[in-house]
Amino acid sequence: MTILKSLLAGVCATLAVANPLPAPEADQLQSRQFITDSNELMAGPCKDVTLIFTRGSAEIGNMGLVIGPQLCQALKAQISPNRVACQGVEGQYVGLIKPNFLDYNTDPKSIQTAKTTIEEAASKCPNTQIVAGGYSQGSAVIDYAVQELNSDTRNKLKGVVLFGFTRNKQDHGQIPGYPQDKVKVYCAPGDVVCDGILVITPSHQVYGVNAGDAADFLARQVNLPQ
């Protein structure tokens, strides 16, 4: 119970930091900078690359604030805004806190939702190259969703980036059954969730600084025609 209270307090602190009560001008600037919802796969045309992203617990939108929007923007800058579609995982994944304490560090409905979203990208856009990312609980969701993909869909998944990976210790810094060289894990110094301790520290909130490096890694995993 103490750990749960610590996690809840940490999440609340994260939201307080990420979502202060700004002046109207600052609020408008933040809205321009960070789009916390992205449905470009579901609502838009197929693109050469599709990013599927799962946000962390209690984050807003379907992309969150800590790293999702930044990763989307950086990948578009790295490849081309016209060639990348970003899609946040939503539906039955609502980012509740309690599932973090289950055996999978998330729940089966959330895993199924991410798996279905990846499968939707593969079926709706058969020529797209899929990449994926997850933060905090979202990293566990993506971890297990990838493991449950059939071989054809898994082969279309070119690379995965995981931030504040809550399964890092248990899965030895990789996704079981998926090529290790296609996965990059980001664990900030002092982020103890990467050591299997579900307590939120300030280090768990800094992954926006890794957006450029992660986008570069994903861009190198895809093979795009000129």
Side-chain angles (χ1 to χ4, degrees):
M1 184 62 69
T2 300
I3 294 177
L4 178 57
K5 289 180 179 178
S6 297
L7 178 61
L8 180 58
V11 169
C12 292
T14 300
L15 294 177
V17 171
N19 298 288
L21 298 176
E25 296 83 359
D27 185 52
Q28 293 171 7
L29 177 61
Q30 185 179 37
S31 297
R32 290 197 298 269
Q33 289 177 332
F34 298 115
I35 299 174
T36 59
D37 279 285
S38 188
N39 291 292
E40 294 173 337
L41 167 67
M42 302 302 181
C46 294
K47 301 291 182 71
D48 292 329
V49 176
T50 301
L51 168 67
I52 307 298
F53 187 82
T54 311
R55 69 197 182 281
S57 303
E59 286 202 280
I60 62 174
N62 64 16
M63 296 289 284
L65 269 174
V66 172
I67 176 59
Q70 297 92 317
L71 178 62
C72 174
Q73 290 178 3
L75 189 61
K76 288 185 175 185
Q78 184 78 8
I79 296 175
S80 167
N82 297 323
R83 303 182 77 178
V84 176
C86 298
Q87 178 66 51
V89 173
E90 46 189 358
Q92 294 192 79
Y93 175 65
V94 294
L96 297 177
I97 294 172
K98 285 185 178 180
N100 285 277
F101 298 92
L102 299 175
D103 288 343
Y104 293 172
N105 299 117
T106 187
D107 57 72
K109 289 182 178 180
S110 298
I111 295 167
Q112 180 61 42
T113 302
K115 176 176 176 282
T116 300
T117 306
I118 296 172
E119 291 171 340
E120 176 72 11
S123 61
K124 177 183 177 180
C125 303
N127 295 320
T128 196
Q129 298 187 53
I130 306 168
V131 294
Y135 162 63
S136 196
Q137 184 183 173
S139 68
V141 172
I142 288 294
D143 177 8
Y144 279 103
V146 172
Q147 293 182 55
E148 294 186 4
L149 294 172
N150 63 43
S151 58
D152 288 342
T153 305
R154 192 183 299 121
N155 288 338
K156 294 182 178 181
L157 182 64
K158 304 302 181 180
V160 179
V161 287
L162 303 171
F163 306 89
F165 186 21
T166 57
R167 299 287 306 171
N168 184 63
K169 181 178 181 180
Q170 300 93 319
D171 289 345
H172 309 290
Q174 57 188 294
I175 298 175
Y178 186 72
Q180 190 169 2
D181 62 350
K182 292 185 178 182
V183 179
K184 190 161 187 178
V185 174
Y186 293 86
C187 281
D191 187 358
V192 296
V193 304
C194 292
D195 300 318
I197 303 171
L198 293 180
V199 174
I200 301 301
T201 65
S203 297
H204 192 61
Q205 305 163 18
V206 301
Y207 290 103
V209 300
N210 300 119
D213 186 80
D216 180 67
F217 173 78
L218 293 178
R220 286 187 276 110
Q221 304 307 307
V222 301
N223 183 20
L224 296 177
Q226 297 300 315

